[in-house]
Amino acid sequence: MSRDDRHKGHPSAAPSPTARPGSGDFERDVHAVARLIPAGRVTSYGAIARYLGAARASRMVGWAMNRAMGPGAEGEAVPAHRVVNRQGLLSGRMHFPTPTAMADCLRAEGVKVEDDRVVDFDALFWDPTTEL
DNA sequence: CATCTGACAGACG
DNA sequence: TCGTCTGCCAGAT
């Protein structure tokens, strides 16, 4: 990401610093939805973000996953391997313990993965706004 | 305290 | 149809 110069995002400071610093609400919701993803199914970051009402915060979904699997993972593990991008691409595979952990995990659930991409992604796609 | 980056997605040219 | 830019929120430097 180095389009050139996109450093403009500088809205006035937060009006209520004590409102909710770490928030965690968004992240918590993301984890909740991720856990609802049925095994053998996959969804996209945007789908989750949209379901939470933050369709434009799809990036945060991925960030939430990163924290979810970290050492500070909440009690329950989050199936981050079932969350892929809009193209069915395992964009987050590099963040797993091993580069093949994500694909291997999906294959274990019956999901075919080829070239880091979910085969038949459209058929396996699980949309929370529709299914939930 | 200011600035960039990041597991994406959608709009635009 | 493809390449590029912007938007979003939060964490890291």
Side-chain angles (χ1 to χ4, degrees), chain A residues 93-109:
Chain A
R93 95 202 126 132
M94 11 170 83
H95 292 269
F96 277 73
T98 58
T100 56
M102 191 169 183
D104 191 62
C105 216
L106 285 169
R107 285 174 184 165
E109 295 181 352

PDB file of all heavy atoms in Angstrom, chain A residues 93-109:
ATOM      1  N   ARG A  93      -3.493 -16.354   4.773  1.00  0.00           N
ATOM      2  CA  ARG A  93      -2.736 -17.590   5.057  1.00  0.00           C
ATOM      3  C   ARG A  93      -1.364 -17.266   5.605  1.00  0.00           C
ATOM      4  O   ARG A  93      -0.812 -18.015   6.401  1.00  0.00           O
ATOM      5  CB  ARG A  93      -2.634 -18.398   3.779  1.00  0.00           C
ATOM      6  CG  ARG A  93      -1.344 -18.131   3.058  1.00  0.00           C
ATOM      7  CD  ARG A  93      -1.424 -18.472   1.623  1.00  0.00           C
ATOM      8  NE  ARG A  93      -1.029 -17.292   0.910  1.00  0.00           N
ATOM      9  CZ  ARG A  93      -0.150 -17.315  -0.076  1.00  0.00           C
ATOM     10  NH1 ARG A  93       0.255 -18.458  -0.516  1.00  0.00           N
ATOM     11  NH2 ARG A  93       0.227 -16.239  -0.624  1.00  0.00           N
ATOM     12  N   MET A  94      -0.758 -16.185   5.220  1.00  0.00           N
ATOM     13  CA  MET A  94       0.597 -15.853   5.682  1.00  0.00           C
ATOM     14  C   MET A  94       0.640 -15.480   7.150  1.00  0.00           C
ATOM     15  O   MET A  94       1.688 -15.441   7.745  1.00  0.00           O
ATOM     16  CB  MET A  94       1.149 -14.707   4.863  1.00  0.00           C
ATOM     17  CG  MET A  94       0.103 -14.044   4.007  1.00  0.00           C
ATOM     18  SD  MET A  94       0.699 -12.562   3.279  1.00  0.00           S
ATOM     19  CE  MET A  94       1.537 -13.218   1.868  1.00  0.00           C
ATOM     20  N   HIS A  95      -0.506 -15.238   7.731  1.00  0.00           N
ATOM     21  CA  HIS A  95      -0.558 -14.844   9.146  1.00  0.00           C
ATOM     22  C   HIS A  95      -0.731 -16.061  10.045  1.00  0.00           C
ATOM     23  O   HIS A  95      -0.725 -15.947  11.252  1.00  0.00           O
ATOM     24  CB  HIS A  95      -1.688 -13.856   9.368  1.00  0.00           C
ATOM     25  CG  HIS A  95      -1.411 -12.564   8.696  1.00  0.00           C
ATOM     26  ND1 HIS A  95      -0.758 -11.532   9.324  1.00  0.00           N
ATOM     27  CD2 HIS A  95      -1.639 -12.170   7.443  1.00  0.00           C
ATOM     28  CE1 HIS A  95      -0.621 -10.548   8.457  1.00  0.00           C
ATOM     29  NE2 HIS A  95      -1.150 -10.905   7.322  1.00  0.00           N
ATOM     30  N   PHE A  96      -0.911 -17.197   9.453  1.00  0.00           N
ATOM     31  CA  PHE A  96      -1.057 -18.413  10.246  1.00  0.00           C
ATOM     32  C   PHE A  96       0.320 -18.925  10.645  1.00  0.00           C
ATOM     33  O   PHE A  96       1.322 -18.506  10.089  1.00  0.00           O
ATOM     34  CB  PHE A  96      -1.787 -19.469   9.411  1.00  0.00           C
ATOM     35  CG  PHE A  96      -3.287 -19.289   9.464  1.00  0.00           C
ATOM     36  CD1 PHE A  96      -3.899 -18.250   8.790  1.00  0.00           C
ATOM     37  CD2 PHE A  96      -4.070 -20.159  10.211  1.00  0.00           C
ATOM     38  CE1 PHE A  96      -5.275 -18.078   8.856  1.00  0.00           C
ATOM     39  CE2 PHE A  96      -5.441 -19.984  10.271  1.00  0.00           C
ATOM     40  CZ  PHE A  96      -6.043 -18.954   9.593  1.00  0.00           C
ATOM     41  N   PRO A  97       0.340 -19.825  11.602  1.00  0.00           N
ATOM     42  CA  PRO A  97       1.609 -20.405  12.076  1.00  0.00           C
ATOM     43  C   PRO A  97       2.451 -20.855  10.897  1.00  0.00           C
ATOM     44  O   PRO A  97       3.644 -20.637  10.847  1.00  0.00           O
ATOM     45  CB  PRO A  97       1.163 -21.602  12.914  1.00  0.00           C
ATOM     46  CG  PRO A  97      -0.251 -21.296  13.327  1.00  0.00           C
ATOM     47  CD  PRO A  97      -0.822 -20.384  12.275  1.00  0.00           C
ATOM     48  N   THR A  98       1.783 -21.507   9.949  1.00  0.00           N
ATOM     49  CA  THR A  98       2.492 -21.953   8.750  1.00  0.00           C
ATOM     50  C   THR A  98       1.692 -21.502   7.530  1.00  0.00           C
ATOM     51  O   THR A  98       0.482 -21.377   7.603  1.00  0.00           O
ATOM     52  CB  THR A  98       2.616 -23.489   8.730  1.00  0.00           C
ATOM     53  OG1 THR A  98       1.311 -24.056   8.796  1.00  0.00           O
ATOM     54  CG2 THR A  98       3.430 -23.978   9.898  1.00  0.00           C
ATOM     55  N   PRO A  99       2.341 -21.279   6.434  1.00  0.00           N
ATOM     56  CA  PRO A  99       1.696 -20.788   5.214  1.00  0.00           C
ATOM     57  C   PRO A  99       0.625 -21.745   4.687  1.00  0.00           C
ATOM     58  O   PRO A  99      -0.246 -21.354   3.922  1.00  0.00           O
ATOM     59  CB  PRO A  99       2.843 -20.685   4.209  1.00  0.00           C
ATOM     60  CG  PRO A  99       4.102 -20.830   4.986  1.00  0.00           C
ATOM     61  CD  PRO A  99       3.775 -21.469   6.283  1.00  0.00           C
ATOM     62  N   THR A 100       0.702 -22.970   5.115  1.00  0.00           N
ATOM     63  CA  THR A 100      -0.268 -23.946   4.605  1.00  0.00           C
ATOM     64  C   THR A 100      -1.328 -24.307   5.636  1.00  0.00           C
ATOM     65  O   THR A 100      -2.229 -25.084   5.365  1.00  0.00           O
ATOM     66  CB  THR A 100       0.473 -25.220   4.186  1.00  0.00           C
ATOM     67  OG1 THR A 100       1.212 -25.703   5.291  1.00  0.00           O
ATOM     68  CG2 THR A 100       1.398 -24.948   3.027  1.00  0.00           C
ATOM     69  N   ALA A 101      -1.217 -23.739   6.815  1.00  0.00           N
ATOM     70  CA  ALA A 101      -2.151 -24.057   7.899  1.00  0.00           C
ATOM     71  C   ALA A 101      -3.589 -23.735   7.502  1.00  0.00           C
ATOM     72  O   ALA A 101      -4.498 -24.530   7.712  1.00  0.00           O
ATOM     73  CB  ALA A 101      -1.758 -23.280   9.149  1.00  0.00           C
ATOM     74  N   MET A 102      -3.785 -22.590   6.897  1.00  0.00           N
ATOM     75  CA  MET A 102      -5.132 -22.162   6.517  1.00  0.00           C
ATOM     76  C   MET A 102      -5.734 -23.105   5.471  1.00  0.00           C
ATOM     77  O   MET A 102      -6.833 -23.605   5.633  1.00  0.00           O
ATOM     78  CB  MET A 102      -5.063 -20.740   5.963  1.00  0.00           C
ATOM     79  CG  MET A 102      -6.442 -20.119   5.782  1.00  0.00           C
ATOM     80  SD  MET A 102      -6.347 -18.364   5.429  1.00  0.00           S
ATOM     81  CE  MET A 102      -8.089 -17.955   5.381  1.00  0.00           C
ATOM     82  N   ALA A 103      -4.995 -23.342   4.417  1.00  0.00           N
ATOM     83  CA  ALA A 103      -5.488 -24.212   3.349  1.00  0.00           C
ATOM     84  C   ALA A 103      -5.686 -25.627   3.893  1.00  0.00           C
ATOM     85  O   ALA A 103      -6.681 -26.287   3.582  1.00  0.00           O
ATOM     86  CB  ALA A 103      -4.481 -24.225   2.206  1.00  0.00           C
ATOM     87  N   ASP A 104      -4.760 -26.066   4.699  1.00  0.00           N
ATOM     88  CA  ASP A 104      -4.844 -27.417   5.259  1.00  0.00           C
ATOM     89  C   ASP A 104      -6.079 -27.560   6.128  1.00  0.00           C
ATOM     90  O   ASP A 104      -6.759 -28.576   6.128  1.00  0.00           O
ATOM     91  CB  ASP A 104      -3.575 -27.674   6.081  1.00  0.00           C
ATOM     92  CG  ASP A 104      -3.486 -29.137   6.453  1.00  0.00           C
ATOM     93  OD1 ASP A 104      -3.408 -29.947   5.530  1.00  0.00           O
ATOM     94  OD2 ASP A 104      -3.532 -29.447   7.648  1.00  0.00           O
ATOM     95  N   CYS A 105      -6.352 -26.522   6.880  1.00  0.00           N
ATOM     96  CA  CYS A 105      -7.513 -26.542   7.778  1.00  0.00           C
ATOM     97  C   CYS A 105      -8.802 -26.612   6.973  1.00  0.00           C
ATOM     98  O   CYS A 105      -9.721 -27.356   7.300  1.00  0.00           O
ATOM     99  CB  CYS A 105      -7.500 -25.271   8.642  1.00  0.00           C
ATOM    100  SG  CYS A 105      -8.091 -25.576  10.302  1.00  0.00           S
ATOM    101  N   LEU A 106      -8.865 -25.852   5.910  1.00  0.00           N
ATOM    102  CA  LEU A 106     -10.061 -25.859   5.058  1.00  0.00           C
ATOM    103  C   LEU A 106     -10.233 -27.226   4.400  1.00  0.00           C
ATOM    104  O   LEU A 106     -11.329 -27.770   4.338  1.00  0.00           O
ATOM    105  CB  LEU A 106      -9.934 -24.774   3.994  1.00  0.00           C
ATOM    106  CG  LEU A 106     -10.145 -23.358   4.524  1.00  0.00           C
ATOM    107  CD1 LEU A 106      -9.738 -22.329   3.477  1.00  0.00           C
ATOM    108  CD2 LEU A 106     -11.587 -23.134   4.926  1.00  0.00           C
ATOM    109  N   ARG A 107      -9.161 -27.768   3.931  1.00  0.00           N
ATOM    110  CA  ARG A 107      -9.224 -29.077   3.276  1.00  0.00           C
ATOM    111  C   ARG A 107      -9.719 -30.119   4.267  1.00  0.00           C
ATOM    112  O   ARG A 107     -10.451 -31.039   3.903  1.00  0.00           O
ATOM    113  CB  ARG A 107      -7.834 -29.470   2.780  1.00  0.00           C
ATOM    114  CG  ARG A 107      -7.443 -28.684   1.545  1.00  0.00           C
ATOM    115  CD  ARG A 107      -6.003 -28.973   1.140  1.00  0.00           C
ATOM    116  NE  ARG A 107      -5.623 -28.124   0.012  1.00  0.00           N
ATOM    117  CZ  ARG A 107      -4.369 -27.947  -0.348  1.00  0.00           C
ATOM    118  NH1 ARG A 107      -3.403 -28.520   0.321  1.00  0.00           N
ATOM    119  NH2 ARG A 107      -4.097 -27.191  -1.376  1.00  0.00           N
ATOM    120  N   ALA A 108      -9.324 -29.967   5.512  1.00  0.00           N
ATOM    121  CA  ALA A 108      -9.748 -30.918   6.547  1.00  0.00           C
ATOM    122  C   ALA A 108     -11.266 -30.852   6.731  1.00  0.00           C
ATOM    123  O   ALA A 108     -11.893 -31.817   7.161  1.00  0.00           O
ATOM    124  CB  ALA A 108      -9.042 -30.583   7.851  1.00  0.00           C
ATOM    125  N   GLU A 109     -11.836 -29.727   6.387  1.00  0.00           N
ATOM    126  CA  GLU A 109     -13.283 -29.567   6.539  1.00  0.00           C
ATOM    127  C   GLU A 109     -14.012 -29.927   5.248  1.00  0.00           C
ATOM    128  O   GLU A 109     -15.222 -29.807   5.146  1.00  0.00           O
ATOM    129  CB  GLU A 109     -13.609 -28.125   6.924  1.00  0.00           C
ATOM    130  CG  GLU A 109     -13.044 -27.784   8.301  1.00  0.00           C
ATOM    131  CD  GLU A 109     -13.393 -26.357   8.695  1.00  0.00           C
ATOM    132  OE1 GLU A 109     -13.921 -25.623   7.852  1.00  0.00           O
ATOM    133  OE2 GLU A 109     -13.127 -26.007   9.851  1.00  0.00           O
TER     134      GLU A 109
END
